Amino acid sequence: MWMQDVDIVYGVVHERLVDHFIGVEIHLMENTITIFHCGVHKVKENPLIQKLAVLIPAIKLEMMNEEINFNDIVPFQVKKAEGLPKTKLPFNCGLFVVKMLECRSLGLKKMSSINDDTVMDLRSKLCCEMFDQFMDKDFQEGCRR
């Protein structure tokens, strides 16, 4: 449950107009959203993130059984994470953002291994992790039939 078991929520927002991914770290107790990007595009005020900055406080009020008056909602502060790895290739953007959020959620500050030279290894490892976590059980059950 939010604000009891979970203080921070991580997610990825897809900016369709420029086909770009932005990572978000939502601090429920600090009322902030930190955005993560890979440096391919300049990140300006994203309408979706601005809506999220209002929606999350509304959900938070609802969770606390408070009456919601949308005129009184104070949006979460949106800030940009600093010192992030950058890519020169737009098709690496999504992977960079996912790996940056993974590092952040694990408390790792050093993200230098996320770079264009290691991206294929990172992509392969992520595919294997996803297969092991989700597909392997279904695949094994299908083979038994």
Side-chain angles (χ1 to χ4, degrees):
M1 178 171 269
W2 283 25
M3 299 176 303
Q4 289 180 6
D5 303 318
V6 177
D7 294 348
I8 302 172
V9 177
Y10 296 92
V12 178
V13 175
H14 182 238
E15 199 173 64
R16 288 182 290 189
L17 294 175
V18 291
D19 195 25
H20 178 64
F21 294 94
I22 300 170
V24 293
E25 177 184 60
I26 304 167
H27 282 265
L28 298 172
M29 305 310 277
E30 296 175 9
N31 297 340
T32 61
I33 297 175
T34 305
I35 59 173
F36 292 75
H37 63 94
C38 61
V40 172
H41 298 283
K42 286 205 177 225
V43 176
K44 45 187 179 264
E45 289 201 11
N46 180 295
L48 192 54
I49 292 181
Q50 296 306 318
K51 289 177 184 173
L52 192 61
V54 174
L55 178 64
I56 298 297
I59 294 171
K60 203 173 151 179
L61 287 171
E62 179 69 28
M63 295 294 295
M64 295 185 295
N65 292 322
E66 301 275 334
E67 189 166 325
I68 300 172
N69 181 348
F70 285 98
N71 295 325
D72 295 336
I73 290 179
V74 177
F76 275 29
Q77 176 192 4
V78 177
K79 56 187 181 178
K80 296 177 186 174
E82 300 293 328
L84 300 176
K86 307 288 185 220
T87 181
K88 296 176 183 131
L89 309 168
F91 50 84
N92 288 338
C93 177
L95 181 64
F96 268 56
V97 166
V98 167
K99 294 310 270 184
M100 284 188 274
L101 291 177
E102 181 180 34
C103 288
R104 184 66 169 240
S105 71
L106 295 171
L108 304 175
K109 300 203 186 303
K110 185 178 175 193
M111 298 183 200
S112 60
S113 63
I114 304 170
N115 60 60
D116 288 325
D117 295 333
T118 62
V119 75
M120 286 310 291
D121 285 340
L122 294 172
R123 200 176 296 279
S124 296
K125 288 176 185 176
L126 184 60
C127 288
C128 290
E129 287 173 16
M130 288 171 31
F131 181 82
D132 287 344
Q133 188 168 4
F134 300 109
M135 299 296 292
D136 194 32
K137 292 174 190 162
D138 293 339
F139 181 74
Q140 289 176 3
E141 286 180 20
C143 290
R144 287 185 207 144
R145 293 182 192 165

